[in-house]
Amino acid sequence: MTTTPLRIDIISDVVCPWCIVGYRQLKKAAEASGTAVDIHWHPFELNPSMPAEGQNIVEHIMEKYGSSQAESHANRDRLTAIGEDLDFTFLFADDMRMHNTFDTHQLLHWATLKGKGDDLKQALFIAHFTHCRNLSDPDVLAAIASKVGLDRAEAEAILIDQRFADQVRAEEKFWTQQGITGVPAMVFDRQHLVTGAQGVDNYANILSQLTQGGGASE
């Protein structure tokens, strides 16, 4: 059992399925090995130019990645099965939409200042992937914030005045300048970058190397 938590910075977006998968795999590996971890979430927008109304998820995936409808559905089935193993429920639907997530990152910035960053992050993943809620809707975001113990009126004010916009953009720029072009991206102990959802066994090996004084493979 490690006594000093291992710092892990996770750059992610709440509409990225592999981000919640990677996090749950990492968490499972940490719990199984008794490794204490100190998670810090950071913003990344998969679709920064997405309009407020969003886009149908099937159309989006086909346009962005060149996937066929059959490939898209196969990937959904794969994610659903992986999620079940990690106690996370993916409920994909053909009318599900991808949304602009800039406002979610502003609320996450604020929630982190209030000590509720992880709670809100998990709630947003569930809202999008399990309940297909519209994360572009300020009312939806304020309600989610309230549900994790944050002040709803303050959440609404933040979304109106965009007070954390500059901070979020600055942090996004910082990580882009560090070479982050896709998510999930995890930085272990401020120096070892691991990209993509690696699987429970690989995360366990990484944690073992780092806590025993070795270095993670980058």
Side-chain angles (χ1 to χ4, degrees):
M1 173 79 71
T2 58
T3 54
T4 302
L6 176 68
R7 180 182 175 111
I8 306 174
D9 293 276
I10 306 179
I11 302 92
S12 73
D13 199 355
V14 293
V15 294
C16 165
W18 294 108
C19 289
I20 183 58
V21 165
Y23 168 75
R24 289 285 181 120
Q25 291 172 341
L26 172 66
K27 183 180 178 184
K28 192 171 184 177
E31 289 174 349
S33 62
T35 305
V37 295
D38 179 22
I39 303 293
H40 295 258
W41 294 100
H42 302 283
F44 186 94
E45 290 179 78
L46 284 177
N47 307 293
S49 61
M50 180 69 73
E53 65 271 18
Q55 183 183 21
N56 176 272
I57 191 169
V58 177
E59 294 175 2
H60 175 75
I61 296 299
M62 291 173 68
E63 286 182 14
K64 186 170 183 178
Y65 301 105
S67 303
S68 67
Q69 189 165 357
E71 289 170 334
S72 178
H73 281 91
N75 190 48
R76 285 197 222 171
D77 291 343
R78 180 187 173 204
L79 279 165
T80 300
I82 292 172
E84 288 176 358
D85 288 339
L86 298 168
D87 296 320
F88 185 85
T89 303
F90 286 104
L91 289 179
F92 293 105
D94 285 341
D95 61 352
M96 186 175 178
R97 299 182 75 78
M98 291 292 283
H99 296 286
N100 185 296
T101 56
F102 186 67
D103 280 349
T104 71
H105 291 301
Q106 289 190 75
L107 283 189
L108 284 164
H109 180 92
W110 166 60
T112 298
L113 297 176
K114 297 290 187 179
K116 293 280 189 178
D118 188 69
D119 291 339
L120 182 59
K121 187 79 172 185
Q122 304 311 315
L124 289 167
F125 277 130
I126 292 169
H128 178 67
F129 289 112
T130 306
H131 302 304
C132 296
R133 301 190 74 184
N134 180 358
L135 299 188
S136 290
D137 186 333
D139 289 336
V140 169
L141 293 179
I144 296 169
S146 176
K147 193 169 183 179
V148 300
L150 292 161
D151 184 81
R152 177 167 185 151
E154 189 171 357
E156 291 171 345
I158 288 166
L159 296 172
I160 291 170
D161 64 31
Q162 302 280 293
R163 70 188 68 167
F164 295 117
D166 289 344
Q167 290 95 321
V168 170
R169 289 195 178 98
E171 193 172 2
E172 288 177 335
K173 183 178 180 180
F174 170 81
W175 289 109
T176 299
Q177 291 175 336
Q178 305 313 303
I180 304 301
T181 58
V183 288
M186 302 185 187
V187 182
F188 291 78
D189 198 24
R190 297 183 185 270
Q191 55 187 320
H192 306 288
L193 172 63
V194 177
T195 58
Q198 293 290 315
V200 176
D201 290 344
N202 283 339
Y203 282 127
N205 289 335
I206 291 167
L207 293 173
S208 176
Q209 291 177 47
L210 291 174
T211 55
Q212 293 175 17
S217 300
E218 297 189 31

